[in-house]
Amino acid sequence: MRRFSTRDRIPDDAKGAALAFGKFDGVHLGHIAVIAGAREAALRLGAPVAAPVFTPHPRRAFEPDAPPFLLQTPHQRERALADAGVTILFDLAFDARFLSLTAREFSQEVLKGQLGIRHLSTGPDFRYGRGRSGDVKTLMGDASELGFTLSTAAIVLNEQGKPVSSSAIREALTRGELKAANAMLGRPWAIEGVVQRGFQRGRDFGFPTLNIALGEYHAPKLGIYAVRTDIGGGDIRPGVASIGVNPTVGALPAPLLEVHLFDFEGDLYGKQVETHLIAFLRSEQKFESIEALKDQMARDAALARASLG
């Protein structure tokens, strides 16, 4: 994967790509459809497949005080885009200059001038330019005049017949509808982070955990999940996880991911791991005693094992 910033001059050998355009905040099935359009054109043109990333994220630029909302870290997004066939990333500066561009200026200066694209693949609801004045219809005219081809991916619908979107995925995660969220993503939702030292209460209960801060991730429904965790080098371990504030033993200031790996002994402090959420088991509860909590943890672990097969 090669990466270039529009803050610098894009080298000539990175131009001429088939560009899949979107925010790609999640790289869900709708995004994959847009990338598929770029891949099809790339094969026809003998061109590389490219995609943009924005710095900062557009939502953070417009809503600086918004609560955490990310579905992926930049590292996860880059891996997902590579898996979908993208070989070039263009880092677009989402700044005052970018926001001031009219639709025509965006097509002429960014798409054709800076990036030198040969094809553009978008979704049907694509809007661009100052005040979101440009749409697919105006883009068709830009493409014809500026000398690049255009394709528009069909809307991808979820099981309820509604469009797949990052917002719909966040809503499903908030409701604890993990199966629906994972279906729209086309893969299990995953939280990546560095293992931190905690209070080690789980170890005292017979359930040692890996503690990972949620950081800028969208907070899902607090509760217990069956998970699989990649601890590095492709070593993927089954387990059970809590995402919550530990109301029984003293509420935490913010939700924390705590993962208990089955049949594992080892020190992972300071290491980066990625936990894939496979099934939502139950909501977070406050128990009357530590013993009641320990009994429920044992039942949760058994249910997670069964869920993971």
Side-chain angles (χ1 to χ4, degrees), residues 201-207 248-249 282 287 289-301:
R201 295 189 183 107
R203 188 178 302 277
D204 295 338
F205 299 161
F207 292 91
T248 303
V249 295
R282 65 170 177 86
F287 295 89
S289 67
I290 296 298
E291 288 304 315
L293 171 61
K294 290 168 65 175
D295 289 344
Q296 184 60 55
M297 291 169 69
R299 290 192 291 270
D300 293 337

Side-chain angles (χ1 to χ4, degrees), residues 206-221:
F207 292 91
T209 60
L210 312 179
N211 301 325
I212 299 103
L214 293 185
E216 288 300 308
Y217 280 106
H218 173 78
K221 185 176 179 67

Side-chain angles (χ1 to χ4, degrees), residues 51-278:
V53 293
F54 296 93
T55 306
H57 189 288
R59 182 172 176 183
R60 185 58 70 199
F62 287 118
E63 302 177 59
D65 298 324
F69 60 86
L70 295 184
L71 294 173
Q72 291 176 307
T73 63
H75 181 236
Q76 288 177 305
R77 178 178 57 188
E78 187 168 325
R79 290 204 320 263
L81 288 171
D83 289 344
V86 174
T87 59
I88 294 177
L89 283 184
F90 291 124
D91 190 341
L92 305 186
F94 200 76
D95 54 18
R97 168 60 183 160
F98 185 89
L99 291 171
S100 72
L101 296 174
T102 65
R104 177 64 178 187
E105 288 170 341
F106 172 78
S107 296
Q108 189 163 8
E109 296 182 22
V110 178
L111 297 180
K112 194 61 180 178
Q114 288 182 299
L115 308 184
I117 67 168
R118 296 174 65 190
H119 180 85
L120 181 66
S121 176
T122 72
D125 55 353
F126 179 66
R127 302 300 295 262
Y128 66 106
R130 187 172 63 230
R132 294 169 55 85
S133 58
D135 56 18
V136 171
K137 184 177 180 179
T138 61
L139 190 56
M140 290 174 63
D142 291 347
S144 177
E145 292 179 29
L146 297 173
F148 59 87
T149 55
L150 176 68
S151 62
T152 304
I155 294 176
V156 178
L157 303 179
N158 63 18
E159 293 179 351
Q160 288 72 45
K162 297 181 180 179
V164 169
S165 68
S166 298
S167 295
I169 293 168
R170 292 188 190 95
E171 291 168 4
L173 290 171
T174 299
R175 295 192 295 265
E177 296 171 1
L178 183 63
K179 183 178 179 181
N182 288 350
M184 287 187 281
L185 284 166
R187 64 185 183 281
W189 187 53
I191 297 172
E192 183 179 65
V194 175
V195 178
Q196 305 174 345
R197 290 192 179 274
F199 295 106
Q200 298 188 331
R201 295 189 183 107
R203 188 178 302 277
D204 295 338
F205 299 161
F207 292 91
T209 60
L210 312 179
N211 301 325
I212 299 103
L214 293 185
E216 288 300 308
Y217 280 106
H218 173 78
K221 185 176 179 67
L222 303 187
I224 308 302
Y225 294 80
V227 301
R228 292 191 178 96
T229 297
D230 187 337
I231 63 174
D235 186 357
I236 300 176
R237 302 292 183 119
V240 62
S242 166
I243 299 179
V245 295
N246 290 330
T248 303
V249 295
L252 298 170
L256 182 71
L257 169 64
E258 298 176 277
V259 183
H260 171 67
L261 302 179
F262 298 142
D263 310 316
F264 175 80
E265 293 183 6
D267 183 357
L268 296 175
Y269 289 124
K271 295 185 177 180
Q272 183 162 287
V273 301
E274 184 178 55
T275 295
H276 303 256
L277 278 63
I278 308 301

